[in-house]
């Protein structure tokens, strides 16, 4: 960042903070909620009712080009917590499954740990999905999934959220172990999956209630486990939508926004609180996407693909921000952001320097909240699919190092015709649905994006700063095809080495 730009941004931030104390921050991240599932974001193709998110949009700002760090759960959550892409770690594809040491190393600062240093109370309520171990409380030995199908009540957790910056945690690891309810550092009970969303809603409201009258600002990270499978709307929500169980579950998920909003209002905290509502990736095929489309509901709105895919339907997500007195009501922003940007943004908001060796892929979106251009030191945004396929977004251009979806939608990599191009290049300004592949007709553009991607991977960071190290020595950029050479481009299957 240029010195004069940095000075202006610092003065801008200082003026924001001089008008009020540090804001409370509530970060609600849904699980598998598609961009088109939020009614106000796609009113012509959305048949769901989302009054909570819609009201938030009327009171704040909608980002129309926000992306998760991956098109699946775990890697996105890692990026939110650390400001770093997850493929820089051992997680090169897919998701983690628990019963393993935390994906976040003990010495890596999280956004929660950072905010604690800035005087914030911190709480996480919901799905963690970043690995942790379960220990036998008697022997201290680690349980394995071969030993126990479900983590037993009393199991201790040595490397969970309360060991990564949070003072309080209530929730579960991931969907397959949702019955194991965790509080702070141990499993406290087993409960039916249908009770989890009401539980998280209740606990979030209780936490806000507990902060009433306390002058200390708080950070509430609320990673919901819905509308991800199991799709289990509570009895009072069943039949509320015209879209079956999935639509009902989306409505119940949206109700969390309403409950949180009412709790903030009840205690006079609305004007002191920045609320962010988003999702970890696109809608899952498990929702029954074709059946929903037959009823006129398009889970990804105008975009191609869904959860797991490298196309935008996999990772372009809802992102709505309300911050009374700072963010203009009924405003929108078309600037490109990524969920890795939370860390740098909150540092900017509280006017504190980022700790060293953090936020390698995080850029502050505070200027956008104030109606200004984002001063990014990052050239573009890197996308990553379920199977580990990379894409690079730079301006209107998007390069996908995949021959098909890179995920679950057809055509998958195995289904693509033999004569298909080795990669995909789209002009999103003129082709937002990614229908016309320009990879072979625009080789110079493809080469430029490829070189930037290679640089961002090799340097260990995509933002300004000295080179750092990825956690693994080799990261595979091309995962489709073998020994393909095109005008000096990297061969498919080539490795980027630190």
């Amino acid at each position: 960042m240029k010195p004069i730009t940095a000075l202006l941004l610092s003065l801008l931030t200082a003026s924001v903070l001089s008008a009020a104390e540090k804001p409370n921050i509530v970060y609600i991240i849904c699980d598998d909620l598609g961009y088109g599932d939020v009614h106000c974001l796609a009113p012509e193709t959305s048949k769901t009712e989302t009054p909570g998110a819609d009201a938030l949009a009327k009171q704040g700002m909608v980002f129309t080009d926000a992306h998760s760090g991956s098109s699946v759960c775990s890697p996105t959550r890692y990026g939110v917590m650390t400001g770093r892409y997850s493929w820089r770690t051992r997680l090169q594809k897919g998701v983690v499954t628990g019963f393993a040491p935390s994906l976040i190393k003990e010495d890596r600062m999280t956004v929660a740990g950072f905010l604690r240093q800035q005087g914030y109370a911190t709480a996480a309520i919901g799905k963690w999905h970043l690995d942790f171990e379960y220990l036998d409380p008697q022997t201290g030995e680690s349980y394995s999934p071969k030993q126990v199908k479900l983590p037993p009540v009393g199991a201790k957790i040595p490397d969970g959220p309360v060991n990564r910056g949070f003072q309080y945690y209530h929730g579960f690891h991931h969907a397959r172990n949702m019955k194991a309810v965790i509080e702070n550092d141990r499993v406290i009970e087993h409960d039916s999956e249908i009770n989890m969303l009401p539980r998280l809603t209740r606990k979030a409201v209780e936490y806000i209630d507990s902060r009433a009258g306390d002058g200390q600002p708080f950070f509430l990270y609320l990673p919901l486990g819905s509308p991800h499978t199991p799709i289990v709307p509570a009895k009072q929500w069943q039949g509320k939508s015209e879209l079956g169980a999935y639509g009902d579950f989306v409505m119940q998920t949206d109700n969390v926004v309403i409950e949180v909003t009412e709790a903030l209002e009840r205690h006079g905290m609305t004007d002191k609180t920045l609320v962010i509502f988003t999702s970890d990736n696109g809608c899952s095929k498990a929702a029954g996407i074709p059946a929903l489309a037959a009823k006129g509901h398009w889970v990804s709105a105008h975009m191609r693909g869904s959860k797991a895919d490298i196309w935008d339907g996999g990772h372009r997500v809802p992102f709505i921000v309300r911050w009374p007195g700072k963010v203009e009501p009924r405003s929108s922003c078309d600037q490109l952001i990524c969920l890795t940007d939370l860390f740098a943004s909150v540092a900017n908001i509280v006017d504190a320097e980022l700790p060293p060796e953090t936020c390698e892929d995080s850029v502050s979106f505070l200027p956008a909240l104030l109606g200004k251009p984002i001063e990014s030191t990052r050239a573009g945004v890197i996308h990553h699919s379920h199977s580990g396929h990379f894409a690079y977004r730079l301006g209107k251009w998007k390069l996908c190092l995949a021959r098909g979806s890179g995920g679950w939608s057809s055509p998958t990599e195995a289904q693509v015709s033999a004569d298909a191009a080795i990669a995909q290049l789209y002009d999103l300004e003129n082709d937002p649905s990614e229908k016309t592949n320009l990879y072979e007709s625009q080789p110079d553009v493809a080469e430029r994006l490829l070189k930037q991607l290679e640089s961002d991977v090799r340097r260990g960071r995509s933002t300004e700063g000295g080179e750092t190290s990825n956690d693994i020595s080799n990261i595979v950029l091309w995962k489709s095809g073998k020994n393909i050479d095109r005008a000096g481009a990297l061969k498919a299957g080539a490795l980027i080495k630190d």
Side-chain angles (χ1 to χ4, degrees), residues 27 29 66-81 83-88 91-92 94 278-282 309-310 314-317 319 337-341 361 378 381-386 388-391:
Y27 191 90
I29 181 167
H67 296 260
S68 53
S70 169
S71 57
V72 287
C73 305
S74 297
T76 288
R77 291 157 199 270
Y78 178 89
V80 171
M81 287 290 99
R84 183 181 190 232
Y85 293 127
S86 181
W87 46 261
R88 298 195 189 279
L91 186 62
Q92 294 297 294
T278 187
S279 179
D280 63 351
N281 45 249
D309 299 339
I310 203 62
H315 48 79
R316 190 183 299 203
V317 293
F319 197 87
I337 66 168
C338 182
L339 296 195
T340 57
D341 294 339
D361 305 299
R378 181 178 62 201
V381 167
I382 299 173
H383 306 310
H384 206 231
S385 79
H386 173 267
H389 286 79
F390 282 89

Side-chain angles (χ1 to χ4, degrees), residues 127-364:
K127 174 180 173 178
W128 185 239
H129 210 182
L130 288 169
D131 267 344
F132 47 59
E133 294 186 278
Y134 299 97
L135 306 183
D136 185 314
Q138 303 302 321
T139 67
E141 295 295 318
S142 297
Y143 289 110
S144 77
K146 293 182 179 180
Q147 292 175 298
V148 291
K149 185 176 181 180
L150 187 67
V153 173
K156 298 188 68 176
I157 297 166
D159 55 350
V162 295
N163 305 102
R164 296 297 184 270
F166 290 100
Q167 294 167 300
Y168 173 74
Y169 174 63
H170 190 99
F172 64 102
H173 186 265
H174 74 294
R176 293 183 182 178
N177 283 328
M178 190 182 290
K179 289 182 178 179
V181 180
I182 300 161
E183 186 157 271
N184 294 328
D185 63 350
R186 68 184 60 228
V187 179
I188 61 169
E189 64 177 297
H190 290 164
D191 195 7
S192 173
E193 292 97 334
I194 198 170
N195 296 327
M196 183 53 74
L197 183 52
R199 173 189 290 274
L200 299 182
T201 307
R202 183 175 68 254
K203 288 294 181 180
V205 170
E206 287 176 359
Y207 183 78
I208 294 171
D209 289 343
S210 75
R211 306 309 307 171
D214 190 326
Q216 183 183 21
F218 66 85
F219 170 52
L220 173 58
Y221 174 55
L222 188 50
L224 305 176
S226 59
H228 188 290
T229 54
I231 299 172
V232 284
K235 185 176 180 179
Q236 63 267 39
W237 290 95
Q238 294 171 15
K240 289 284 187 179
S241 76
E242 297 180 358
L243 299 175
Y246 179 74
D248 298 344
F249 211 29
V250 168
M251 290 184 67
Q252 186 181 355
T253 300
D254 176 77
N255 185 62
V256 177
V257 181
I258 295 174
E259 296 282 349
V260 166
T261 297
E262 289 179 350
L264 293 171
E265 291 175 350
R266 186 164 60 248
H267 298 295
M269 297 178 181
T270 301
D271 290 346
K272 304 174 184 178
T273 305
L274 184 159
V275 177
I276 297 175
F277 174 81
T278 187
S279 179
D280 63 351
N281 45 249
C283 176
S284 171
K285 289 180 66 176
I289 294 175
L292 292 170
K295 295 181 179 180
H297 180 73
W298 297 86
V299 295
S300 300
H302 62 280
M303 294 170 287
R304 187 180 186 185
S306 54
K307 177 181 179 177
D309 299 339
I310 203 62
W311 298 319
D312 266 22
H315 48 79
R316 190 183 299 203
V317 293
F319 197 87
I320 303 171
V321 183
R322 184 186 69 185
W323 191 8
K326 309 295 184 300
V327 173
E328 189 72 23
R330 296 178 181 272
S331 58
S332 65
C333 177
D334 61 2
Q335 298 183 69
L336 177 66
I337 66 168
C338 182
L339 296 195
T340 57
D341 294 339
L342 176 67
F343 201 150
S345 300
V346 299
N348 200 181
I349 287 167
V350 302
D351 196 20
E353 290 188 10
L354 288 170
E357 299 181 3
T358 63
C359 295
E360 292 91 335
D361 305 299
S362 189
V363 169
S364 173

